[in-house]
Amino acid sequence: MAKESKWILKAPADAGKVNRLATEVGIDSVLAELLVKRGVETFEEARSFFRPNLANLHDPFLMKDMDRAVERLHAAVVSGEKILIYGDYDVDGTTAVALVYSFVSRFTKNIDFYIPDRNDEGYGVSLKGIDWATENGFKLIITLDCGIKAIEKTAYAASKGVDMIICDHHLPDNELPAAVAVLDPKREDCHYPFDDLSGCGVGFKLVQAYAKKYNVAFETLLPLLDYLVVSIASDLVSVTGENRILAHFGLKQLNESPRAGLQAMIDLSKLEVGHITIDDIVFKIGPRINAAGRMETGRLAVELLTTDDLGMAMQIGEKINDNNNDRKSIDREITQEALEMVQNGNSLAWKNATIVYNPSWNKGVVGIVASRLVEAFYKPTIVLTKSNGFVTGSARSVQGFDLYEAIESCSDLLENFGGHVYAAGLTMREERLQEFSERIDKFIGERITKDMLTPVVTIDAKLDFSRITPKFFRILKQFQPFGPGNNNPLFLTENVYDSGNGRKVGAGGVHMKLDLIQEDQPYRQISAIAFNMSEYYDYIKAGNPFDVCYSIVENYYRGNSTIQLRVRSLRQREEDMI
């Protein structure tokens, strides 16, 4: 059972602004309040929010080094130099490689792509990859979703006569690689207006800049946006600003005319074109693409994403789908072992962080296992295994705590590390493991607060079921695409009960399907799904009232669309609101 959450109801927005916007736009005051809380206060701002426009994308040449990158790429194209598109093995990396490869291959056939092997080469630019490029006559490497820390590797490539253009979105160190161009909106000296692009997003800005300089019609870039929305959703970057525009049009492309590889993923995920959401990418399409790099090779994912042949796409897709099923099985097994390790007192750290190590665990799933342990114990978590003689693994954090900073404080013990505030990867020598565990646990203990160690459910607004009309939901859907920074609103309805039709569903009956009614309101029965909450089943089945926190989603099944509540948290009525 997951740790009990603290519920916090957001402070109400300014009533005058809410009422004015509700009148101007002609919408329910609850929806107007949600908009005001998102900084949308006027009719014009609402129109801009509800109607994202590609004309509002930023000029790619505002990104530091973009002019250099475009010139070097063009020089390679016109002189017939061999170009290697090099990217990380996860969804963001493989979609980025597929996007840039698809674009550049319009202008030259002297092009190939390279995805490092997770187990053999590890994350980022590898010496093996550079050697392969040299042996095969490549003169230019474009890195995507990696490379910002590849200082020695960039110098090594230069010594072999190979230039590099680095496209990354991770936090750089003080020193940057001496590449021909370093595109990273998180560079301190880069004044690009939006710094939360995905790795694939940085790749898109490169091709947008090339198209702009060399008179390639912008409209010809639109089919590439399905790659982009898959990366934005899967890499959990914010769905605000430029990302929201790109995700909006990417979803449009994915729902109207997906490329063969993504069509195969849609079919294998049992989704329907025309009804695909960000959630579908996060939970169904993304994990399948990721499974290729976790279980076999990320190269498979790029082959899938770049083929025009639906038959070939299905063939590769089925292989990747099998990889995903294997991944799920291994993930369950390792998660169980890790949980038991912690519960039996066999973890390397438990006081302030959860740190577990088993040299035989599959390297490809340790990040997923770390996320599961955060759900279970709600502490910063590091899951480690052994690969190529080194201890290596993934770290995941809790809301509000910068785990990257904690890992950086132990950089003298590490061979390599990288990532974000909430997710990172690291590698060290085994003899340093004990000291690392002790130091990072101490560092976290000195900085983490009690509030950070309690999962928080932040509620946007209270809502009566009677307000959830077709019009209300139609407008709410226009808040999409949802994601960090523009989350699907969470609503609170108090004093509800099940109509009597509630039942356990899913393998092992871990979920609940409910039909909810609100006490003291006009009769309105509304369908709800509560994932992994079956421990409440007996209480609910007995007819007891409870409060429920939920988002409102469209349940589309076999041609029928219904409104459904996706329960995030629930509690028995006797508990007091915090």
Side-chain angles (χ1 to χ4, degrees):
M1 184 174 170
K3 192 167 180 179
E4 194 69 29
S5 300
K6 176 181 178 181
W7 290 13
I8 295 177
L9 183 61
K10 283 184 183 176
D14 180 281
K17 290 178 180 177
V18 169
N19 293 333
R20 187 165 57 250
L21 187 63
T23 304
E24 282 180 8
V25 183
I27 56 174
D28 187 290
S29 61
V30 171
L31 294 169
E33 176 154 10
L34 295 176
L35 288 172
V36 172
K37 285 176 178 174
R38 281 163 166 73
V40 176
E41 297 182 2
T42 66
F43 180 85
E44 285 304 316
E45 287 169 348
R47 183 164 64 182
S48 176
F49 179 81
F50 286 130
R51 302 283 180 271
N53 191 333
L54 288 164
N56 293 329
L57 293 179
H58 302 303
D59 180 349
F61 285 101
L62 294 173
M63 196 176 290
K64 181 80 173 172
D65 278 4
M66 185 61 81
D67 49 348
R68 293 184 188 177
V70 168
E71 281 170 28
R72 181 64 186 89
L73 174 57
H74 189 62
V77 167
V78 295
S79 66
E81 281 180 289
K82 291 184 79 175
I83 303 166
L84 186 65
I85 313 296
Y86 185 116
D88 188 25
Y89 38 67
D90 70 359
V91 183
D92 191 17
T94 53
T95 52
V97 167
L99 186 151
V100 175
Y101 176 85
S102 297
F103 176 80
V104 178
S105 59
R106 296 181 195 175
F107 310 105
T108 177
K109 296 304 165 199
N110 293 322
I111 184 170
D112 202 350
F113 59 85
Y114 188 96
I115 306 291
D117 181 87
R118 180 188 287 263
N119 296 308
D120 183 33
E121 296 166 80
Y123 168 77
V125 182
S126 71
L127 293 174
K128 183 178 175 180
I130 294 168
D131 286 341
W132 187 89
T134 307
E135 287 157 17
N136 289 279
F138 289 91
K139 292 297 179 189
L140 176 63
I141 296 176
I142 300 175
T143 77
L144 292 151
D145 193 32
C146 62
I148 197 63
K149 294 188 174 186
I151 292 163
E152 293 84 2
K153 311 283 174 52
T154 303
Y156 178 72
S159 75
K160 300 275 189 178
V162 178
D163 284 343
M164 286 176 65
I165 295 172
I166 290 169
C167 305
D168 205 345
H169 69 134
H170 296 97
L171 284 166
D173 286 335
N174 292 332
E175 185 186 350
L176 294 174
V180 171
V182 178
L183 306 180
D184 188 333
K186 291 190 175 74
R187 280 179 65 164
E188 274 198 14
D189 59 347
C190 179
H191 304 298
Y192 189 73
F194 185 76
D195 71 354
D196 202 28
L197 292 167
S198 64
C200 187
V202 178
F204 178 77
K205 298 311 290 189
L206 173 61
V207 307
Q208 184 192 358
Y210 190 95
K212 183 175 181 178
K213 176 141 190 193
Y214 296 106
N215 301 315
V216 179
F218 180 77
E219 290 68 34
T220 67
L221 305 184
L222 299 184
L224 301 173
L225 295 181
D226 58 359
Y227 290 132
L228 207 41
V229 70
V230 171
S231 87
I232 288 168
S234 302
D235 218 53
L236 299 177
V237 289
S238 64
V239 186
T240 58
E242 194 164 41
N243 278 347
R244 188 162 186 271
I245 299 169
L246 294 167
H248 173 87
F249 287 96
L251 271 180
K252 189 172 187 293
Q253 182 69 27
L254 193 63
N255 277 300
E256 290 177 3
S257 183
R259 66 191 60 254
L262 290 174
Q263 180 67 61
M265 289 291 94
I266 290 163
D267 293 345
L268 289 161
S269 304
K270 296 182 170 54
L271 297 169
E272 190 168 326
V273 170
H275 297 273
I276 297 161
T277 64
I278 291 284
D279 271 2
D280 291 326
I281 299 170
V282 171
F283 296 111
K284 295 183 177 177
I285 296 172
R288 283 174 166 81
I289 296 172
N290 239 341
R294 290 185 190 281
M295 307 303 295
E296 195 168 336
T297 168
R299 191 171 176 92
L300 258 185
V302 182
E303 287 170 0
L304 170 83
L305 293 168
T306 52
T307 183
D308 294 327
D309 183 324
L310 188 55
M312 178 61 74
M314 281 304 290
Q315 202 176 321
I316 301 170
E318 280 165 4
K319 197 172 184 183
I320 287 175
N321 205 43
D322 290 343
N323 284 334
N324 190 49
N325 290 332
D326 292 344
R327 188 271 305 164
K328 285 195 278 192
S329 169
I330 291 167
D331 154 25
R332 277 193 297 269
E333 225 171 88
I334 295 176
T335 299
Q336 192 53 43
E337 287 175 22
L339 288 167
E340 287 170 7
M341 194 179 276
V342 175
Q343 287 153 355
N344 297 335
N346 295 325
S347 56
L348 289 166
W350 165 245
K351 191 178 177 187
N352 305 303
T354 306
I355 305 178
V356 289
Y357 170 57
N358 182 326
S360 67
W361 284 341
N362 183 305
K363 185 182 174 184
V365 301
V366 290
I368 299 168
V369 174
S371 297
R372 301 261 192 272
L373 295 186
V374 171
E375 285 171 21
F377 304 116
Y378 210 72
K379 292 179 181 178
T381 298
I382 304 174
V383 178
L384 300 161
T385 185
K386 200 166 189 179
S387 176
N388 294 328
F390 289 96
V391 171
T392 184
S394 288
R396 298 291 183 270
S397 196
V398 295
Q399 191 65 36
F401 186 78
D402 186 343
L403 188 53
Y404 183 86
E405 182 192 19
I407 291 167
E408 195 172 34
S409 75
C410 300
S411 60
D412 56 304
L413 301 175
L414 302 175
E415 300 297 307
N416 196 8
F417 70 97
H420 307 285
V421 171
Y422 295 120
L426 62 156
T427 303
M428 74 189 92
R429 297 183 185 277
E430 193 163 20
E431 60 267 23
R432 292 176 169 171
L433 182 54
Q434 194 61 45
E435 186 185 349
F436 170 81
S437 301
E438 289 166 6
R439 265 177 55 183
I440 201 162
D441 194 57
K442 184 172 184 289
F443 183 95
I444 291 168
E446 288 167 353
R447 287 160 180 79
I448 203 159
T449 65
K450 189 179 175 185
D451 281 349
M452 289 178 195
L453 291 167
T454 305
V456 171
V457 176
T458 303
I459 298 160
D460 290 273
K462 286 188 178 183
L463 188 67
D464 289 330
F465 285 169
S466 58
R467 297 180 93 145
I468 307 174
T469 62
K471 182 187 176 185
F472 181 96
F473 184 55
R474 191 169 65 249
I475 295 165
L476 182 64
K477 278 201 294 185
Q478 292 176 46
F479 280 57
Q480 295 183 56
F482 294 127
N486 185 45
N487 286 316
N488 194 347
L490 284 176
F491 298 105
L492 167 65
T493 303
E494 296 173 314
N495 207 9
V496 306
Y497 57 92
D498 182 63
S499 67
N501 296 324
R503 62 192 187 279
K504 292 183 183 180
V505 295
V510 294
H511 314 310
M512 291 188 295
K513 186 89 167 54
L514 305 169
D515 286 317
L516 300 182
I517 297 165
Q518 185 179 5
E519 189 77 68
D520 303 325
Q521 285 287 315
Y523 185 85
R524 172 87 197 278
Q525 189 170 299
I526 192 158
S527 168
I529 183 79
F531 293 113
N532 299 306
M533 293 188 195
S534 58
E535 70 264 24
Y536 294 104
Y537 179 74
D538 291 338
Y539 176 86
I540 291 170
K541 196 66 180 167
N544 293 309
F546 56 97
D547 298 339
V548 64
C549 173
Y550 57 89
S551 53
I552 306 172
V553 298
E554 181 176 30
N555 184 33
Y556 187 83
Y557 185 67
R558 292 183 177 172
N560 291 319
S561 177
T562 56
I563 293 173
Q564 186 180 62
L565 309 186
R566 183 172 293 162
V567 177
R568 169 75 181 277
S569 187
L570 59 83
R571 64 181 184 193
Q572 299 167 11
R573 275 294 290 168
E574 57 266 30
E575 293 174 310
D576 292 322
M577 183 71 181
I578 292 169

